[in-house]
Coordinates of all heavy atoms in Angstrom, one line a residue:
M1 N -98.0 99.3 292.5 CA -98.3 100.7 292.6 C -99.0 101.2 291.6 O -98.7 101.5 290.4 CB -97.0 101.6 292.8 CG -97.2 103.0 293.0 SD -95.8 104.0 293.1 CE -94.9 103.2 294.3
K2 N -100.5 101.3 291.6 CA -101.3 101.5 290.5 C -102.1 102.8 290.8 O -102.7 103.3 289.8 CB -102.3 100.4 290.2 CG -101.5 99.2 289.7 CD -102.5 98.1 289.2 CE -101.6 96.9 288.6 NZ -102.5 95.9 288.1
T3 N -102.2 103.4 292.0 CA -103.1 104.5 292.2 C -102.4 105.7 292.7 O -102.9 106.7 292.9 CB -104.1 104.1 293.3 OG1 -103.4 103.6 294.4 CG2 -105.0 102.9 292.8
K4 N -101.0 105.6 292.9 CA -100.2 106.7 293.2 C -99.0 107.0 292.3 O -98.6 106.1 291.7 CB -99.8 106.4 294.7 CG -100.8 106.3 295.7 CD -100.3 105.7 297.0 CE -99.4 106.6 297.6 NZ -98.9 106.2 299.0
W5 N -98.7 108.3 292.4 CA -97.5 108.5 291.6 C -96.1 108.1 292.3 O -95.1 107.7 291.7 CB -97.2 110.1 291.4 CG -98.2 110.7 290.4 CD1 -99.1 111.7 290.6 CD2 -98.4 110.3 289.1 NE1 -99.7 112.1 289.5 CE2 -99.3 111.2 288.5 CE3 -98.0 109.3 288.3 CZ2 -99.8 111.0 287.2 CZ3 -98.2 109.1 286.9 CH2 -99.2 110.0 286.4
G6 N -96.1 108.0 293.7 CA -95.0 107.6 294.2 C -95.3 107.2 295.8 O -96.4 107.6 296.3
G7 N -94.3 106.8 296.5 CA -94.4 106.7 297.8 C -93.0 106.6 298.4 O -92.0 106.4 297.8
S8 N -92.9 107.1 299.8 CA -91.7 107.1 300.4 C -91.8 106.4 301.8 O -92.8 106.3 302.4 CB -91.2 108.5 300.6 OG -92.2 109.3 301.4
S9 N -90.6 105.9 302.1 CA -90.5 105.2 303.5 C -89.3 105.8 304.2 O -88.2 105.2 303.9 CB -90.5 103.8 303.3 OG -90.2 103.2 304.6
P10 N -89.4 106.9 305.0 CA -88.2 107.5 305.7 C -87.5 106.3 306.6 O -86.3 106.4 306.5 CB -88.8 108.4 306.5 CG -90.0 109.0 305.8 CD -90.6 107.6 305.1
Q11 N -88.3 105.5 307.1 CA -87.7 104.3 307.9 C -86.7 103.5 307.1 O -85.6 103.1 307.6 CB -88.7 103.5 308.6 CG -89.5 104.3 309.6 CD -90.8 104.9 308.9 OE1 -91.0 104.8 307.7 NE2 -91.5 105.9 309.6
R12 N -87.2 103.1 305.9 CA -86.4 102.4 305.1 C -85.5 103.0 304.1 O -84.7 102.4 303.4 CB -87.2 101.4 304.1 CG -88.2 100.5 304.9 CD -88.9 99.6 303.9 NE -89.8 98.7 304.6 CZ -90.9 98.1 304.2 NH1 -91.2 98.4 302.9 NH2 -91.6 97.4 305.0
R13 N -85.6 104.4 304.1 CA -84.9 105.3 303.2 C -85.0 105.0 301.8 O -84.0 104.8 301.0 CB -83.3 105.1 303.6 CG -83.1 105.7 305.0 CD -81.6 105.7 305.4 NE -81.4 106.3 306.7 CZ -80.5 107.0 306.9 NH1 -79.5 107.3 306.1 NH2 -80.4 107.6 308.1
T14 N -86.3 104.8 301.4 CA -86.7 104.4 300.0 C -87.7 105.3 299.5 O -88.5 105.8 300.2 CB -87.2 102.9 299.9 OG1 -88.3 102.8 300.7 CG2 -86.1 102.0 300.5
I15 N -87.7 105.5 298.2 CA -88.8 106.2 297.5 C -89.1 105.3 296.3 O -88.2 104.7 295.5 CB -88.2 107.4 296.9 CG1 -88.0 108.4 298.1 CG2 -89.2 108.2 295.9 CD1 -87.4 109.8 297.6
R16 N -90.4 105.0 296.2 CA -90.9 104.2 295.0 C -91.7 105.1 294.1 O -92.4 106.1 294.5 CB -91.8 103.2 295.4 CG -91.1 102.1 296.3 CD -92.0 101.0 296.7 NE -93.2 101.5 297.3 CZ -94.4 100.8 297.3 NH1 -94.5 99.6 296.7 NH2 -95.6 101.3 297.8
L17 N -91.4 105.0 292.8 CA -92.0 105.8 291.7 C -92.8 105.0 290.8 O -92.5 103.9 290.4 CB -91.0 106.6 291.0 CG -90.1 107.5 291.8 CD1 -89.0 108.2 290.9 CD2 -91.0 108.7 292.5
N18 N -94.1 105.5 290.4 CA -94.9 104.9 289.4 C -94.3 104.9 288.0 O -93.9 106.1 287.6 CB -96.2 105.6 289.5 CG -97.4 104.9 288.6 OD1 -97.0 104.3 287.5 ND2 -98.6 104.8 289.1
L19 N -94.2 103.9 287.4 CA -93.5 103.9 286.0 C -94.4 104.8 285.0 O -93.8 105.3 284.0 CB -93.4 102.5 285.5 CG -92.4 101.6 286.2 CD1 -92.2 100.2 285.6 CD2 -91.0 102.2 286.3
E20 N -95.5 105.1 285.2 CA -96.4 105.9 284.4 C -95.8 107.4 284.3 O -96.1 108.1 283.5 CB -97.8 106.0 284.9 CG -98.6 104.7 284.6 CD -98.8 104.3 283.2 OE1 -99.1 105.2 282.4 OE2 -98.5 103.2 282.8
L21 N -94.9 107.7 285.3 CA -94.3 109.0 285.4 C -93.5 109.2 284.2 O -93.2 110.4 283.7 CB -93.6 109.2 286.6 CG -94.2 109.5 287.9 CD1 -93.3 109.4 289.1 CD2 -94.8 110.8 287.9
A22 N -92.9 108.1 283.5 CA -92.1 108.2 282.3 C -92.9 109.0 281.2 O -92.2 109.5 280.3 CB -91.6 106.9 281.9
K23 N -94.1 108.9 281.3 CA -95.0 109.6 280.2 C -95.3 111.0 280.4 O -95.9 111.7 279.6 CB -96.3 108.9 280.1 CG -96.1 107.3 279.7 CD -97.5 106.6 279.7 CE -97.3 105.1 279.5 NZ -98.6 104.4 279.7
K24 N -94.9 111.6 281.5 CA -95.2 112.8 282.1 C -94.0 113.9 281.7 O -92.8 113.4 281.4 CB -95.5 112.9 283.5 CG -96.7 112.1 283.9 CD -98.0 113.0 283.4 CE -99.2 112.4 283.9 NZ -100.3 113.1 283.4
D25 N -94.3 115.1 281.8 CA -93.2 116.1 281.6 C -92.2 116.0 282.7 O -92.5 115.4 283.8 CB -93.8 117.6 281.8 CG -94.8 117.8 280.6 OD1 -94.6 117.2 279.5 OD2 -95.6 118.7 280.8
I26 N -91.0 116.3 282.5 CA -89.9 116.3 283.4 C -90.1 117.1 284.6 O -89.7 116.7 285.8 CB -88.6 116.6 282.8 CG1 -87.4 116.4 283.8 CG2 -88.5 118.1 282.5 CD1 -87.2 114.8 283.8
E27 N -91.0 118.1 284.5 CA -91.3 119.0 285.7 C -92.1 118.3 286.7 O -92.1 118.4 287.9 CB -91.9 120.3 285.3 CG -91.1 121.2 284.5 CD -91.0 121.0 283.0 OE1 -91.8 120.2 282.5 OE2 -90.0 121.6 282.4
C28 N -93.1 117.3 286.2 CA -94.0 116.5 286.9 C -93.0 115.5 287.7 O -93.2 115.3 288.9 CB -94.9 115.8 286.1 SG -96.2 116.8 285.5
L29 N -92.0 114.9 287.0 CA -91.3 114.0 287.7 C -90.4 114.7 288.9 O -90.3 114.2 289.9 CB -90.2 113.3 286.7 CG -89.2 112.4 287.3 CD1 -90.0 111.1 287.9 CD2 -88.4 111.8 286.2
D30 N -90.0 115.9 288.4 CA -89.3 116.7 289.6 C -90.1 116.9 290.8 O -89.7 116.8 292.0 CB -88.8 118.1 289.0 CG -87.6 117.9 288.1 OD1 -87.0 116.8 288.0 OD2 -87.3 118.9 287.3
Y31 N -91.4 117.4 290.5 CA -92.3 117.6 291.6 C -92.5 116.5 292.4 O -92.5 116.4 293.6 CB -93.6 118.1 290.9 CG -94.7 118.6 292.1 CD1 -94.5 119.7 292.7 CD2 -95.6 117.6 292.4 CE1 -95.5 120.0 293.8 CE2 -96.4 117.9 293.4 CZ -96.3 119.1 294.1 OH -97.3 119.3 295.2
I32 N -92.8 115.3 291.7 CA -93.1 113.9 292.6 C -91.9 113.6 293.4 O -92.0 113.2 294.6 CB -93.5 112.8 291.6 CG1 -94.7 113.2 290.8 CG2 -93.6 111.5 292.4 CD1 -95.9 113.5 291.6
I33 N -90.7 113.7 292.8 CA -89.5 113.4 293.7 C -89.3 114.3 294.8 O -89.1 113.9 295.9 CB -88.3 113.3 292.8 CG1 -88.2 112.2 291.7 CG2 -87.0 113.3 293.6 CD1 -87.3 112.0 290.8
L34 N -89.6 115.5 294.5 CA -89.6 116.6 295.6 C -90.5 116.3 296.7 O -90.3 116.3 297.9 CB -89.7 118.0 295.0 CG -89.6 119.1 296.1 CD1 -88.5 119.2 296.8 CD2 -90.0 120.4 295.5
H35 N -91.8 116.0 296.2 CA -92.8 115.5 297.2 C -92.4 114.4 298.1 O -92.6 114.4 299.4 CB -94.1 115.2 296.4 CG -95.2 114.9 297.2 ND1 -96.3 115.6 297.3 CD2 -95.5 113.7 298.0 CE1 -97.3 115.0 298.0 NE2 -96.7 113.9 298.5
E36 N -91.9 113.4 297.4 CA -91.5 112.3 298.3 C -90.2 112.5 299.1 O -90.1 111.9 300.2 CB -91.1 111.0 297.3 CG -92.3 110.6 296.6 CD -93.7 110.2 297.2 OE1 -93.6 109.9 298.4 OE2 -94.8 110.5 296.7
L37 N -89.4 113.3 298.7 CA -88.1 113.6 299.4 C -88.7 114.6 300.7 O -88.1 114.4 301.8 CB -87.2 114.4 298.7 CG -86.3 113.6 297.7 CD1 -85.4 114.5 296.9 CD2 -85.3 112.6 298.5
A38 N -89.6 115.4 300.4 CA -90.1 116.1 301.6 C -90.8 115.3 302.6 O -90.7 115.8 303.9 CB -91.2 117.2 301.0
H39 N -91.3 114.1 302.3 CA -91.8 113.3 303.4 C -90.7 112.7 304.2 O -91.1 112.2 305.4 CB -92.7 112.2 302.7 CG -94.0 112.5 302.4 ND1 -94.8 113.2 303.2 CD2 -94.6 112.3 301.2 CE1 -95.9 113.4 302.6 NE2 -95.8 112.9 301.3
F40 N -89.5 112.8 303.9 CA -88.2 112.5 304.8 C -88.2 113.5 305.9 O -87.6 113.3 307.0 CB -87.1 112.4 304.1 CG -86.9 111.1 303.3 CD1 -87.8 110.8 302.2 CD2 -86.0 110.2 303.6 CE1 -87.7 109.6 301.6 CE2 -85.9 109.0 302.9 CZ -86.8 108.7 301.9
I41 N -88.8 114.7 305.7 CA -88.7 115.9 306.7 C -90.0 115.9 307.4 O -90.1 116.1 308.6 CB -88.3 117.1 306.0 CG1 -86.9 117.0 305.4 CG2 -88.4 118.3 306.9 CD1 -86.5 118.2 304.5
V42 N -91.2 116.0 306.6 CA -92.5 116.1 307.2 C -93.3 114.9 306.7 O -93.5 114.6 305.5 CB -93.1 117.4 306.7 CG1 -94.6 117.5 307.3 CG2 -92.3 118.6 307.0
A43 N -93.8 114.0 307.6 CA -94.5 112.8 307.3 C -95.9 113.0 306.6 O -96.2 112.1 305.9 CB -94.6 111.9 308.4
N44 N -96.6 114.1 307.0 CA -97.9 114.2 306.6 C -98.0 115.4 305.5 O -96.9 115.8 305.1 CB -98.9 114.5 307.7 CG -98.4 115.8 308.5 OD1 -97.8 116.6 308.0 ND2 -98.5 115.7 309.9
H45 N -99.3 115.7 305.1 CA -99.5 116.8 304.0 C -99.9 118.1 304.8 O -100.9 118.7 304.3 CB -100.5 116.3 303.0 CG -99.9 115.2 302.2 ND1 -100.8 114.3 301.6 CD2 -98.7 114.9 301.8 CE1 -100.0 113.3 300.9 NE2 -98.8 113.8 301.0
S46 N -99.3 118.4 305.8 CA -99.7 119.6 306.6 C -99.3 120.8 306.0 O -98.7 120.8 304.9 CB -99.0 119.5 308.1 OG -97.7 119.6 307.9
E47 N -99.6 122.1 306.6 CA -99.2 123.2 306.0 C -97.6 123.4 306.0 O -97.2 124.0 305.1 CB -99.8 124.4 306.9 CG -101.2 124.6 306.7 CD -101.7 125.9 307.5 OE1 -100.9 126.8 307.7 OE2 -102.9 125.9 307.9
R48 N -97.0 122.8 306.9 CA -95.5 122.8 307.0 C -94.9 122.0 305.7 O -94.0 122.6 305.0 CB -95.0 122.2 308.2 CG -93.5 122.2 308.3 CD -93.0 121.6 309.7 NE -91.6 121.4 309.7 CZ -90.9 120.3 309.9 NH1 -91.6 119.3 310.4 NH2 -89.7 120.2 309.9
F49 N -95.7 121.0 305.4 CA -95.3 120.1 304.2 C -95.5 121.1 302.9 O -94.5 121.1 302.1 CB -96.0 119.0 304.2 CG -95.8 117.9 303.0 CD1 -94.6 117.1 302.9 CD2 -96.6 118.0 301.9 CE1 -94.4 116.5 301.8 CE2 -96.2 117.2 300.7 CZ -95.2 116.3 300.7
T50 N -96.6 121.6 302.8 CA -97.0 122.5 301.6 C -96.0 123.6 301.4 O -95.6 123.9 300.4 CB -98.4 122.9 301.7 OG1 -99.3 121.8 301.9 CG2 -98.8 123.7 300.5
A51 N -95.7 124.3 302.6 CA -94.8 125.4 302.6 C -93.4 124.9 302.1 O -92.7 125.6 301.3 CB -94.7 126.0 304.0
L52 N -93.0 123.7 302.6 CA -91.8 123.2 302.1 C -91.7 123.0 300.7 O -90.7 123.4 299.9 CB -91.4 121.8 302.8 CG -90.0 121.2 302.7 CD1 -89.0 122.0 303.0 CD2 -90.1 119.8 303.4
L53 N -92.7 122.5 300.2 CA -92.8 122.2 298.6 C -92.8 123.6 297.9 O -92.1 123.7 296.9 CB -94.0 121.4 298.3 CG -94.0 120.1 298.7 CD1 -95.2 119.3 298.1 CD2 -92.8 119.2 298.2
D54 N -93.6 124.5 298.4 CA -93.8 125.7 297.7 C -92.4 126.6 297.7 O -92.1 127.3 296.9 CB -94.8 126.6 298.4 CG -96.3 126.1 298.1 OD1 -96.3 125.3 297.2 OD2 -97.3 126.5 298.8
R55 N -91.6 126.3 298.8 CA -90.4 127.0 298.9 C -89.5 126.6 297.8 O -88.7 127.4 297.2 CB -89.8 126.8 300.2 CG -88.7 127.7 300.5 CD -88.0 127.4 302.0 NE -89.0 127.1 302.8 CZ -88.7 126.2 303.9 NH1 -87.6 125.6 304.0 NH2 -89.7 125.9 304.7
H56 N -89.6 125.2 297.5 CA -88.5 124.7 296.5 C -89.0 124.6 295.0 O -88.2 124.5 294.1 CB -88.1 123.4 297.0 CG -87.2 123.5 298.3 ND1 -86.0 123.9 298.3 CD2 -87.5 123.3 299.6 CE1 -85.7 123.9 299.6 NE2 -86.6 123.6 300.4
M57 N -90.4 124.7 295.0 CA -90.9 124.4 293.6 C -92.4 125.0 293.5 O -93.1 124.7 294.3 CB -90.9 123.0 293.2 CG -91.2 122.6 291.7 SD -90.9 121.0 291.3 CE -90.8 121.1 289.7
P58 N -92.5 125.8 292.5 CA -94.0 126.2 292.4 C -95.0 125.2 292.2 O -94.6 124.0 291.7 CB -93.9 127.2 291.2 CG -92.6 127.2 290.7 CD -91.8 126.3 291.4
K59 N -96.2 125.4 292.6 CA -97.2 124.4 292.5 C -97.4 124.1 291.1 O -97.6 124.9 290.3 CB -98.6 124.8 293.1 CG -98.5 124.8 294.6 CD -99.7 125.4 295.2 CE -99.6 125.4 296.7 NZ -100.8 125.8 297.4
L60 N -97.6 122.7 290.7 CA -97.9 122.3 289.3 C -99.1 121.4 289.4 O -99.1 120.2 289.8 CB -96.7 121.5 288.7 CG -95.5 122.4 288.5 CD1 -94.3 121.3 288.1 CD2 -95.7 123.4 287.4
A61 N -100.3 122.0 289.3 CA -101.6 121.3 289.4 C -101.7 120.1 288.5 O -102.2 119.2 289.1 CB -102.8 122.2 289.2
A62 N -101.1 120.2 287.3 CA -101.2 119.0 286.4 C -100.4 117.9 287.0 O -100.7 116.7 286.7 CB -100.7 119.4 285.1
C63 N -99.4 118.1 287.8 CA -98.7 117.1 288.3 C -99.3 116.4 289.6 O -98.9 115.3 290.0 CB -97.2 117.4 288.6 SG -96.4 118.1 287.2
K64 N -100.2 117.1 290.2 CA -100.6 116.7 291.6 C -101.7 115.6 291.4 O -101.9 114.8 292.3 CB -101.3 117.8 292.3 CG -100.3 118.8 292.7 CD -100.8 119.8 293.6 CE -99.7 120.6 294.4 NZ -100.2 121.5 295.2
K65 N -102.4 115.5 290.2 CA -103.5 114.5 290.0 C -102.9 113.2 289.7 O -102.2 112.8 288.7 CB -104.4 114.9 288.8 CG -105.5 114.0 288.7 CD -106.5 114.5 287.8 CE -107.8 113.6 287.7 NZ -108.6 113.9 286.7
A66 N -103.1 112.1 290.7 CA -102.5 110.8 290.6 C -103.4 110.1 289.5 O -104.5 110.4 289.4 CB -102.6 110.1 291.9
P67 N -102.7 109.0 288.9 CA -103.5 108.2 287.9 C -104.7 107.5 288.7 O -104.4 107.1 289.9 CB -102.3 107.4 287.3 CG -101.4 107.3 288.4 CD -101.4 108.6 289.1
Q68 N -105.7 107.2 288.0 CA -106.8 106.4 288.7 C -106.6 104.8 288.4 O -106.0 104.5 287.5 CB -108.0 106.8 288.0 CG -108.5 108.2 288.2 CD -108.5 108.6 289.7 OE1 -109.2 107.9 290.5 NE2 -107.9 109.7 290.0
Ligands
ZN1 ZN1 -97.4 112.7 300.0

């Protein structure tokens, strides 16, 4: 996992996280975990998905940019 902060597989009930997250603020880690958990409810990045994230955590632009 070199190009994403994380990934989720609702079918397998797993979430994988990029170890580079250890270098980020705890708020970023919270955001990424929330993002991956939200995929257990909404599979894509639709408006419903965005609304779900916004409802539980304000947008953190610095956390959204994945490592290259
Ligand atoms: Zn996603």
Side-chain angles (χ1 to χ4, degrees):
M1 183 184 300
K2 294 184 177 183
T3 60
K4 297 168 61 175
W5 286 128
S8 60
S9 174
Q11 297 84 8
R12 293 181 185 164
R13 297 180 176 220
T14 60
I15 291 176
R16 296 183 309 155
L17 299 173
N18 188 322
L19 293 178
E20 291 295 315
L21 282 170
K23 300 175 184 174
K24 295 289 185 181
D25 294 336
I26 192 71
E27 291 83 11
C28 288
L29 182 57
D30 287 348
Y31 180 83
I32 298 302
I33 291 172
L34 177 64
H35 180 110
E36 300 307 335
L37 284 172
H39 277 310
F40 281 65
I41 298 170
V42 182
N44 54 36
H45 293 147
S46 64
E47 285 186 27
R48 182 176 171 230
F49 179 82
T50 302
L52 183 62
L53 292 184
D54 289 347
R55 189 179 330 143
H56 294 283
M57 190 171 194
K59 292 181 180 179
L60 295 173
C63 299
K64 289 186 170 186
K65 187 176 180 185
Q68 299 301 315

